[in-house]
Amino acid sequence: MILRLGCATVQYLMSQRVKGQLKGLKPSELKRLEKLFNRRVDREELVPPELGREIFSIGDDLGRRVGVLVSREGRVEEVVVG
């Protein structure tokens, strides 16, 4: 069976991957980073405190920098590990 996806769907699925320096990360650490995609940000807030704490906590545990790109609609579009 062949599943055909529209360009927007393919782009959305491709953007749901963590990018950056992933070498050496455990599967549980990757899963924790991927959970950031489930976050939503209110349009009125720059960085919600709970999201900031989660990003800091993950980065501190990994010993790496973690960044997210949030769309104007409040969706986490990119998660990057440095």
Side-chain angles (χ1 to χ4, degrees):
M1 182 169 125
I2 297 174
L3 179 64
R4 297 189 188 271
L5 301 173
C7 292
T9 305
V10 171
Q11 183 178 1
Y12 176 75
L13 291 173
M14 289 177 64
S15 70
Q16 291 290 304
R17 298 184 60 208
V18 179
K19 296 178 174 68
Q21 300 293 331
L22 306 179
K23 190 174 183 178
L25 293 181
K26 299 175 188 171
S28 61
E29 295 169 333
L30 266 175
K31 187 169 188 117
R32 197 169 166 205
L33 287 162
E34 289 168 351
K35 281 185 173 182
L36 291 172
F37 285 110
N38 298 330
R39 295 286 194 149
R40 295 291 178 257
V41 176
D42 184 20
R43 295 182 81 174
E44 303 297 320
E45 292 183 289
L46 182 60
V47 179
E50 59 276 358
L51 178 61
R53 279 191 289 271
E54 184 66 17
I55 292 169
F56 175 81
S57 174
I58 294 171
D60 192 45
D61 292 346
L62 298 179
R64 303 179 190 196
R65 292 186 182 193
V66 175
V68 296
L69 176 68
V70 180
S71 71
R72 291 183 177 158
E73 291 80 30
R75 290 188 317 265
V76 175
E77 298 287 336
E78 301 281 340
V79 177
V80 183
V81 180

